[in-house]
Amino acid sequence: MSTVSAASGSNASSPPESDVTVRPEPIFREINAEQAEEVVEIESACMNCFETGVTRLLPTKIPFFREVVLMSFKCDHCGHVNNEMQSASEIQKSGIRIELHVQSVADLNRRVVRSDNSSVTIPEVELEIPVQSQKGEVTTVEGIIERTIAGLSQDQDKRRIDHPEAAASIDAYIERLHRLKEVNTPFRLLLEDISGNSFVENPLAPAADPQLKTSHFTRNQQQNEQLGLYEQNHEEQHLLKPIAEDAWPIENLHGEVLQFPTNCPNCQAPCETNMKLTNIPHFKEVVIMATVCGSCGHKTNEVKSGGGVEAQGVRFRVQIASKEDLTRDVLKSETCSLSIPELDLEVGPHALCGRFTTVEGLLLAMRDQLDGTFFHDSADETTKQQMQRFLDTFDDVMNLKRIITLVLEDPAGNTYVQSLSDDDAEPDEKLVVERYDRSFEDNEELGLNDMKTEGYEQEA
């Protein structure tokens, strides 16, 4: 009887199953050894012998990069194997262009992440791998050369019989590629991805790599269509209802919090983003966006400038020597790059999104990204020790044991740093504000060189 009572009491105190909320696991998790349990296996046809093989799929996140799906196929009948990588992240706002100067054999071991929409060029040997000619992969510089050699060597025995001259020419070119791997002379590896989803490792991270140059570019219409991004036809423009000029005054937006559906950047689960227009004193209007994911708990906040591109770029130099310096308000736009000369640290504009925070919050975000996105498992011991020494130095900065200068450079002029002087409009003694004229490269990055501001009505 007591057993029944205990069971009844237990059932009474337990919540109904329908009331228990089970938070789903994120689809894409940081890559680690425990992910072996998450591999999905499906049967698929072998393209070599047309028997049935097994394809293994693993959705994961690559440090310093983004979400990918790793695929591995193996056929037990003929032994054929194939490995591929598909980008699972969204198409980026701009394409990416990476130039690597290979100067030693160690540079051949740099990790390279290539999407299907990337092209590879090595001018020194006139090698060009066009867009969508190969599947995406996670490889190295040497792996790209080896894959090219393997592709050219295929059917060479038959070619030597049927077309001896062509086979001899290919053999000579393969020999050039083999000599390229010896790195007797430096060469360049040019990687261009119109989707923006490719990456080349920087072994000196978080310091800048003088051998690695990364830039972004605006896609043209043909490249957008190649990615399946089509502009709206003029015939369909009647579907968009224009808002009357006085129907929604700007004053109403200042007190309104708007919501729109989106996907979590961490686990891709559906969630909502809150957006609000606000005004920063002595600066301009900005749009603040905040997202909280109910699935994985991930939180993000981002700030977009509410105005246009300024006539000049702006550069802030902030000396950090006291707790008061850490409390300055900072508005970092999405076009602003950061650097700390004393630590030889440079952070590009696309590494940290736009945000409204303090100097301390900005430094913490930089440290968390360096510590949380590094190749902890696969890095060699020397690289791990180098990163740990840098993080220890960064901690000394946060504890004010070292005096540093934080430099914020924004070619669009949409970044703001609070002045601690009595007159907020004037910089204090630890804050230097410089206005400068943008270079051609800066305007190209912002898409201003192709922008026509006069006479466009006639052309249209």
Side-chain angles (χ1 to χ4, degrees):
M1 189 71 179
S2 60
T3 304
V4 175
S5 300
S8 301
S10 174
N11 289 338
S13 61
S14 300
E17 291 186 6
S18 58
D19 294 340
V20 178
T21 303
V22 179
R23 177 174 288 180
E25 290 288 337
I27 300 174
F28 298 94
R29 296 167 55 190
E30 294 286 352
I31 191 166
N32 58 71
E34 298 176 358
Q35 282 189 295
E37 301 175 358
E38 303 172 12
V39 174
V40 178
E41 295 187 358
I42 56 175
E43 292 184 347
S44 53
C46 174
M47 294 294 100
N48 188 51
C49 67
F50 300 102
E51 295 287 343
T52 300
V54 177
T55 297
R56 293 175 173 84
L57 305 175
L58 176 63
T60 187
K61 292 175 66 178
I62 294 181
F64 278 139
F65 196 50
R66 46 183 65 94
E67 300 84 4
V68 296
V69 178
L70 302 178
M71 294 177 287
S72 174
F73 173 81
K74 183 177 181 181
C75 178
D76 293 331
H77 299 278
C78 66
H80 178 67
V81 294
N82 184 38
N83 300 309
E84 294 181 12
M85 182 213 73
Q86 289 281 353
S87 175
S89 60
E90 62 182 9
I91 296 174
Q92 305 305 307
K93 292 187 294 185
S94 56
I96 189 170
R97 190 177 290 115
I98 304 173
E99 180 176 346
L100 172 65
H101 289 262
V102 180
Q103 299 177 353
S104 65
V105 176
D107 293 329
L108 297 176
N109 295 325
R110 291 183 186 240
R111 299 177 182 87
V112 178
V113 179
R114 290 183 54 211
S115 76
D116 297 356
N117 301 297
S118 64
S119 63
V120 177
T121 306
I122 302 179
E124 285 73 11
V125 292
E126 301 174 3
L127 171 64
E128 182 175 355
I129 304 174
V131 175
Q132 296 181 346
S133 61
Q134 293 182 353
K135 292 291 185 181
E137 59 180 345
V138 180
T139 181
T140 61
V141 175
E142 184 177 13
I144 293 175
I145 300 174
E146 282 289 350
R147 184 172 180 177
T148 304
I149 293 174
L152 293 173
S153 301
Q154 192 173 4
D155 297 329
Q156 267 295 83
D157 293 336
K158 183 179 179 182
R159 199 177 290 118
R160 291 188 183 97
I161 299 173
D162 298 339
H163 306 283
E165 294 182 0
S169 177
I170 293 175
D171 284 335
Y173 188 78
I174 290 176
E175 182 60 30
R176 290 180 64 187
L177 294 178
H178 280 297
R179 290 198 300 270
L180 196 68
K181 295 195 300 177
E182 298 173 2
V183 198
N184 293 324
T185 57
F187 65 90
R188 291 172 297 156
L189 177 75
L190 308 179
L191 178 62
E192 183 173 307
D193 187 350
I194 58 176
S195 69
N197 287 328
S198 289
F199 160 83
V200 175
E201 178 193 6
N202 172 13
L204 303 179
D209 186 352
Q211 297 175 224
L212 191 64
K213 181 180 178 182
T214 302
S215 60
H216 296 80
F217 62 91
T218 303
R219 289 185 291 268
N220 56 36
Q221 182 179 351
Q222 181 181 357
Q223 290 170 333
N224 278 329
E225 292 179 356
Q226 197 170 359
L227 295 172
L229 304 176
Y230 293 91
E231 295 182 2
Q232 188 179 39
N233 296 328
H234 293 289
E235 299 174 356
E236 299 176 350
Q237 286 185 356
H238 65 277
L239 296 175
L240 298 176
K241 307 290 185 182
I243 299 177
E245 186 174 348
D246 299 329
W248 193 262
I250 192 68
E251 291 79 10
N252 291 0
L253 285 176
H254 283 286
E256 194 78 19
V257 177
L258 306 178
Q259 291 185 333
F260 59 89
T262 184
N263 289 339
C264 172
N266 186 56
C267 69
Q268 301 301 315
C271 58
E272 285 191 340
T273 294
N274 296 323
M275 181 176 71
K276 189 177 188 301
L277 184 68
T278 188
N279 185 42
I280 295 181
H282 307 290
F283 192 53
K284 59 173 67 174
E285 290 178 337
V286 296
V287 179
I288 299 179
M289 294 182 289
T291 303
V292 178
C293 178
S295 298
C296 67
H298 182 68
K299 299 179 181 180
T300 64
N301 68 81
E302 189 172 353
V303 175
K304 298 281 188 182
S305 172
V309 177
E310 296 294 318
Q312 290 182 304
V314 64
R315 184 183 298 111
F316 295 92
R317 300 181 186 274
V318 187
Q319 187 183 57
I320 303 174
S322 64
K323 288 185 177 181
E324 188 180 36
D325 298 326
L326 295 174
T327 62
R328 293 178 189 263
D329 289 333
V330 176
L331 170 66
K332 178 203 172 296
S333 77
E334 63 271 18
T335 56
C336 176
S337 60
L338 309 170
S339 63
I340 302 177
E342 291 82 356
L343 303 184
D344 195 23
L345 171 64
E346 293 185 12
V347 179
H350 298 273
L352 293 174
C353 63
R355 60 185 65 203
F356 185 57
T357 180
T358 61
V359 170
E360 184 178 17
L362 201 57
L363 293 175
L364 284 173
M366 294 166 65
R367 192 202 185 284
D368 290 344
Q369 189 181 54
L370 292 171
D371 190 26
T373 59
F374 192 64
F375 285 100
H376 287 289
D377 295 334
S378 57
D380 57 77
E381 194 61 33
T382 303
T383 305
K384 289 181 180 179
Q385 292 176 1
Q386 176 185 344
M387 173 57 73
Q388 189 56 50
R389 284 196 299 270
F390 183 87
L391 293 176
D392 292 341
T393 304
F394 211 100
D395 290 337
D396 291 340
V397 171
M398 299 300 300
N399 295 325
L400 302 175
K401 295 179 180 179
R402 290 190 58 172
I403 298 176
I404 63 164
T405 303
L406 177 64
V407 181
L408 299 90
E409 184 167 339
D410 186 359
N414 288 327
T415 293
Y416 164 80
V417 177
Q418 179 191 13
S419 172
L420 300 180
S421 65
D422 295 335
D423 183 2
D424 289 344
E426 293 295 326
D428 58 78
E429 58 182 9
K430 294 183 180 179
L431 175 64
V432 178
V433 183
E434 304 173 16
R435 300 280 176 179
Y436 64 91
D437 294 327
R438 285 185 292 269
S439 64
F440 179 86
E441 289 75 17
D442 291 334
N443 287 329
E444 186 72 19
E445 190 88 10
L446 296 172
L448 299 178
N449 290 332
D450 300 326
M451 188 176 295
K452 190 172 183 180
T453 58
E454 296 180 357
Y456 55 87
E457 303 95 339
Q458 299 175 0
E459 186 174 317

